[in-house]
Amino acid sequence: MFAAFAILFLTLLSSEVMSKPLSYRRDQAIKLRNAPNLVLQARANSSNSSVSFDNWNNISALQGFDEFNGQNNFNGSQNSQTIVIQETETQCQTVQIEIVQQKLAILQELAKRIITEQICDVQTQTIVLAQHNGALQVFSDDIQRKTTTRQIGYDQTIAAKLTQITNTDGSLSTDDAGFTGSDVGQNTVVPSGNNWNDSTSPSLVEAAAAAASSASYQ
Ligand SMILES: *[C@@H]1O[C@H](CO)[C@@H](O)[C@H](O)[C@H]1NC(C)=O
Ligand SMILES: *[C@@H]1O[C@H](CO)[C@@H](O)[C@H](O)[C@H]1NC(C)=O
Ligand SMILES: *[C@@H]1O[C@H](CO)[C@@H](O)[C@H](O)[C@H]1NC(C)=O
Ligand SMILES: *[C@@H]1O[C@H](CO)[C@@H](O)[C@H](O)[C@H]1NC(C)=O
Ligand SMILES: *[C@@H]1O[C@H](CO)[C@@H](O)[C@H](O)[C@H]1NC(C)=O
């Protein structure tokens, strides 16, 4: 269904990195090349069965929906990635679980705020939330290494736009943050230091996912 091809997109972003000796950058590139295979999928359009939400049901609030991912790429899984080569590698560092849960709760409540304050049409609220959940489901599959199509990390440029969500008075901003769906992934940072082990982790994360899933149904 998808024209899949293995390409390693390397972007040397900051001038700091550019000023590093070539040998350094080559080492970094080799390191990345030796990382698990990057198979990036082209945007597919071979099937007509995919739903377009542009003006879906004549809902004007949905006009332009497909320009931000959308048709054939509802959950963003077709986006390509460009890996940022960092001068100092970002490492994971364990912090207290409650601190992590607090941060994620903040993002969840912000998502609810955006959906309830900035969308008045309830069908649109439903579709936009489904797209949000779909993107996180893709990430869930990624951290369980169910696919080999993506590196596991985040787009640092998009993540840094957190401050653009609200105005200085705390109200939600109505400004254009200056990017579109296909830009997400173009500045991907892949933190290292996690304890993934190719031989033992697949069954362990599968069991973890099953346990988490059953916890939701009690
Ligand atoms: C996908 O296909 C539709 C027609 O089936 C066409 O209108 C549209 O431009 C195509 N999109 C891309 C990205 O090729
Ligand atoms: C998809 O739609 C295009 C025109 O929109 C048509 O030419 C093509 O045959 C369709 N493909 C399938 C598999 O239905
Ligand atoms: C959308 O609006 C057009 C023009 O008013 C109308 O012809 C069409 O039937 C509407 N479609 C739906 C799904 O309501
Ligand atoms: C994301 O959407 C694609 C279709 O565009 C689908 O094949 C894939 O299974 C979805 N991924 C997840 C994790 O739901
Ligand atoms: C992965 O786990 C196996 C089995 O416990 C162990 O032998 C191997 O050293 C581990 N690999 C790494 C890279 O930690």
Side-chain angles (χ1 to χ4, degrees):
M1 178 173 168
F2 301 117
F5 45 90
I7 294 181
L8 188 58
F9 289 103
L10 300 178
T11 309
L12 298 167
L13 269 191
S14 69
S15 54
E16 252 180 322
V17 172
M18 291 302 280
S19 69
K20 282 273 145 192
L22 189 63
S23 61
Y24 172 87
R25 283 186 269 145
R26 194 188 54 226
D27 288 350
Q28 291 294 302
I30 288 168
K31 213 157 109 196
L32 262 176
R33 209 173 297 137
N34 292 337
N37 246 359
L38 247 195
V39 182
L40 300 174
Q41 294 173 331
R43 275 175 181 259
N45 197 20
S46 54
S47 154
N48 292 359
S49 62
S50 65
V51 183
S52 165
F53 284 107
D54 228 288
N55 253 341
W56 186 80
N57 268 0
N58 280 351
I59 297 167
S60 59
L62 281 168
Q63 190 143 27
F65 182 95
D66 288 340
E67 284 159 33
F68 200 101
N69 297 341
Q71 192 175 21
N72 293 310
N73 190 23
F74 185 72
N75 59 23
S77 61
Q78 304 305 304
N79 279 9
S80 65
Q81 281 183 324
T82 304
I83 309 299
V84 175
I85 297 174
Q86 297 175 297
E87 189 172 5
T88 308
E89 216 170 32
T90 301
Q91 291 259 350
C92 58
Q93 213 162 22
T94 299
V95 304
Q96 204 187 324
I97 193 76
E98 189 184 20
I99 310 293
V100 172
Q101 291 169 312
Q102 285 171 347
K103 287 195 171 65
L104 293 178
I106 293 168
L107 293 179
Q108 284 155 22
E109 296 313 306
L110 259 176
K112 294 177 193 174
R113 183 179 182 192
I114 293 164
I115 287 169
T116 53
E117 282 189 14
Q118 300 202 307
I119 303 173
C120 300
D121 176 72
V122 294
Q123 294 175 88
T124 303
Q125 289 179 338
T126 306
I127 291 164
V128 164
L129 179 61
Q131 186 175 47
H132 178 73
N133 290 342
L136 289 176
Q137 191 54 52
V138 170
F139 181 62
S140 174
D141 281 7
D142 286 348
I143 57 177
Q144 293 175 60
R145 274 69 167 177
K146 284 189 183 172
T147 57
T148 53
T149 54
R150 279 175 299 277
Q151 296 283 305
I152 296 128
Y154 63 93
D155 188 304
Q156 65 174 2
T157 305
I158 308 298
K161 291 181 186 289
L162 179 72
T163 53
Q164 295 182 36
I165 290 181
T166 53
N167 298 311
T168 45
D169 68 356
S171 61
L172 285 180
S173 157
T174 54
D175 292 345
D176 183 340
F179 68 100
T180 189
S182 57
D183 294 327
V184 180
Q186 295 313 301
N187 295 288
T188 298
V189 167
V190 182
S192 60
N194 66 72
N195 67 350
W196 180 265
N197 179 317
D198 277 339
S199 59
T200 55
S201 294
S203 60
L204 290 174
V205 295
E206 193 182 347
S213 166
S214 71
S216 292
Y217 288 102
Q218 273 167 13

